[in-house]
Amino acid sequence: MTARAADRARYDRATAHLDAPLAIVDLDAFDANADDLVRRAAGKPVRVASKSVRCRALLERVLSRDGFQGIMSFTLAESLWLARSGFEDVLLAYPSADRSGFAELAADPKLAGAVTVMVDDVAHLDLIDAARDGGREEVRVCLELDTSLKLLGGRVRVGARRSPLHSPAQLAELARAVGRRPGFRLVGIMAYEGHVAGVGDSVAGRPLRSRAVRLMQAAARRELAERRAAVVRAVRAVAPDLEFVNGGGTGSVQHTAAEDAVTEIAAGSGLYVPRLFDNYTSFNGRPAALFAQPVVRRPGVGVVTVLGGGYPASGAPGPDRLPVPYLPEGLKYDPQEGPGEVQTPLLGAPADDLLIGDKVWFRHAKAGELCERFDTLHLIEGDAVTATAPTYRGEGRTFL
C-alpha cells in the first residue's frame, strides 16, 4: 500500500460516520509542516498569515508552538476581531479604507496596542485621520516595500503590483511623513516577495520554464536582499525604534531568513500545503487540508460523478487554480466539463471501484480559501476525528 493509499484508508475510517461534503485537517501533517517552517526560519520567528488558515482554533494551535509569533491578517475587520479574541500581535498586511474600523481602532487602547496597519501612501494617513471620529489612540503603522524585480530600466517588471514604494529614498520619505504626523507611530517594514515565495520552480513536464523560473528567482533574491538592507538602513535612520522587518512567504522561508535585515518571516500556506506547492524544490510539505465530495452517480465504465467540487482559487484563471482529485489516486477531470458547481464527473480506472456514497478526496489549489466553502474543519489524528473547529465562515465571519 502506498503512503497516499494509507492516508485515504485513514481518512475514510476517521470520517465513516460523517456525510460528505466535508473538510479535514490532518493534525499530524499540520504539526510536521509547522516544524518544517520553524526549521527553515533558522531561529527567526514565523508570523502566521491568517488568510491561509482562516480558523481561530488552528491559529491558536500553531501560535502555541515554539518559533511562531504574531499574526499577519488580511482585513481591518478581521484584525479587530482577532485582537478582541485575545491575539495580541496582529499585523494587517494590506492597506484598508475601512473608516468605521479605523474609528474603532483609534478609540480603543487594547485594539490600538495589538493591531498594526499597513500604509504605503500619505493618503492612507489622511484617511485614518479623517476616520478617527474623536479617537485619540496612537495608531501603529507599517510601511510596505515593493519587492518586484525591475529590468531594462523598469520596462520589464517581475512581481506583484503591490506597494508604490520601491527605493530606500521613497520609504524614508514616507517614514518622515509618519514621524511628523501626530497620532501615528512607525513600527515596522514589510516586504512580500511573491514572485519568489509564491511561484513554483519545478513544474512537471516543463523543464525549460522551470529553469527560467529558478534563474529569475535567484536574480530576484540577490537584488531584493541588497535593496531591502538599504531600505532598512534608510528607514532606521529616520525611525531608530523600528520593531520588526517582515519578509518572505512559505516558498522562500530559508532564503529570506538568511538576510540580516529581516527580523521575522511570514508564512501560512505551508501549514496546509495546498496543490500549488507541489512544484517547489525549496521544501517538501505534507498535504494537511483536504475536502471530500460524495460519489452520487456512476454514468459508465471508468466514470463517477461527485457532488459539487467547483471551488476555483483566486488569481489568473487557469488549470492550476482548480482543486485536484487526490484520493484515490488516478482520477482526473473530464476536460469537457471540469469541476462543476453542482456535479463533477471524474475519469479513470479507480472510478470502477467506487460506490455510491464513497468519498473522493481533493486538495484545493490554495490554502485558506478552502475555508470559505466549509463552516467546519474535522481535525484528524491517526485514523480518528478528535475534534471539530469552526472556520471563519462557521463563526459567521466572511471578511472578503
Side-chain angles (χ1 to χ4, degrees):
M1 181 182 290
T2 67
R4 279 174 60 173
D7 282 342
R8 180 194 175 200
R10 286 196 301 116
Y11 301 151
D12 282 347
R13 286 196 298 272
T15 63
H17 61 297
L18 300 171
D19 289 332
L22 59 83
I24 66 166
V25 171
D26 183 333
L27 291 180
D28 295 333
F30 182 90
D31 291 344
N33 293 333
D35 288 341
D36 184 64
L37 289 172
V38 170
R39 176 188 62 79
R40 291 196 286 138
K44 293 186 176 177
V46 178
R47 185 180 291 273
V48 184
S50 62
K51 78 177 183 67
S52 300
V53 179
R54 303 193 201 199
C55 172
R56 281 199 300 168
L58 291 177
L59 289 172
E60 291 168 353
R61 182 184 183 91
V62 72
L63 285 170
S64 71
R65 304 174 68 87
D66 290 341
F68 290 88
Q69 180 179 304
I71 288 176
M72 177 175 282
S73 58
F74 60 97
T75 74
L76 181 56
E78 179 213 14
S79 305
L80 300 178
W81 178 62
L82 290 173
R84 291 191 194 95
S85 301
F87 295 96
E88 297 179 346
D89 180 4
V90 182
L91 169 62
L92 174 57
Y94 306 88
S96 176
D98 180 354
R99 291 176 174 83
S100 63
F102 283 126
E104 291 181 53
L105 180 69
D108 188 319
K110 176 183 176 181
L111 298 179
V115 175
T116 300
V117 303
M118 193 65 59
V119 302
D120 60 35
D121 194 308
V122 172
H124 292 138
L125 304 179
D126 294 339
L127 187 147
I128 295 169
D129 265 339
R132 283 180 182 271
D133 194 27
R136 297 180 179 274
E137 294 299 322
E138 187 175 63
V139 175
R140 294 166 52 87
V141 301
C142 177
L143 307 183
E144 180 170 1
L145 166 67
D146 169 36
T147 64
S148 64
L149 176 64
K150 295 184 178 181
L151 305 170
L152 301 178
R155 293 191 297 275
V156 175
R157 173 196 177 101
V158 181
R161 298 183 182 275
R162 292 175 61 111
S163 171
L165 305 175
H166 190 80
S167 69
Q170 288 174 312
L171 278 99
E173 180 180 0
L174 186 53
R176 284 189 287 271
V178 174
R180 291 192 297 265
R181 185 76 68 107
F184 294 91
R185 179 156 61 99
L186 176 59
V187 298
I189 299 172
M190 189 196 93
Y192 172 57
E193 50 268 42
H195 50 303
V196 178
V199 178
D201 62 351
S202 180
V203 182
R206 305 190 69 177
L208 295 179
R209 173 180 168 81
S210 298
R211 176 170 172 74
V213 169
R214 287 193 292 272
L215 290 172
M216 176 277 291
Q217 291 179 338
R221 288 196 302 267
R222 289 192 298 269
E223 186 276 337
L224 179 58
E226 181 178 338
R227 182 159 52 90
R228 180 156 37 199
V231 163
V232 172
R233 287 193 299 270
V235 173
R236 285 195 185 280
V238 177
D241 295 329
L242 206 64
E243 296 176 12
F244 64 86
V245 177
N246 179 281
T250 290
S252 69
V253 170
Q254 64 270 40
H255 302 298
T256 308
E259 296 182 32
D260 291 338
V262 174
T263 67
E264 63 176 38
I265 307 300
S269 296
L271 296 167
Y272 287 170
V273 186
R275 66 164 292 198
L276 283 181
F277 288 106
D278 289 347
N279 301 321
Y280 283 71
T281 59
S282 60
F283 79 105
N284 290 301
R286 291 173 55 185
L290 298 94
F291 67 93
Q293 304 295 108
V295 174
V296 292
R297 284 178 170 165
R298 291 171 49 88
V301 175
V303 186
V304 291
T305 302
V306 299
L307 183 70
Y311 306 154
S314 60
D320 65 342
R321 299 291 144 171
L322 300 179
V324 62
Y326 184 60
L327 301 170
E329 297 180 66
L331 294 173
K332 62 182 181 181
Y333 294 123
D334 182 334
Q336 302 301 314
E337 296 194 43
E341 177 187 10
V342 178
Q343 68 169 31
T344 297
L346 297 171
L347 312 180
D352 294 331
D353 296 323
L354 292 169
L355 304 177
I356 300 295
D358 284 351
K359 296 180 178 77
V360 174
W361 296 91
F362 293 76
R363 292 170 65 200
H364 204 275
K366 298 182 76 173
E369 292 183 21
L370 171 65
C371 294
E372 297 302 323
R373 299 287 184 168
F374 293 90
D375 57 12
T376 299
L377 296 174
H378 300 280
L379 309 182
I380 290 180
E381 296 179 84
D383 60 358
V385 172
T386 57
T388 59
T391 61
Y392 280 10
R393 172 180 167 172
E395 296 199 67
R397 306 286 175 166
T398 51
F399 296 109
L400 281 177

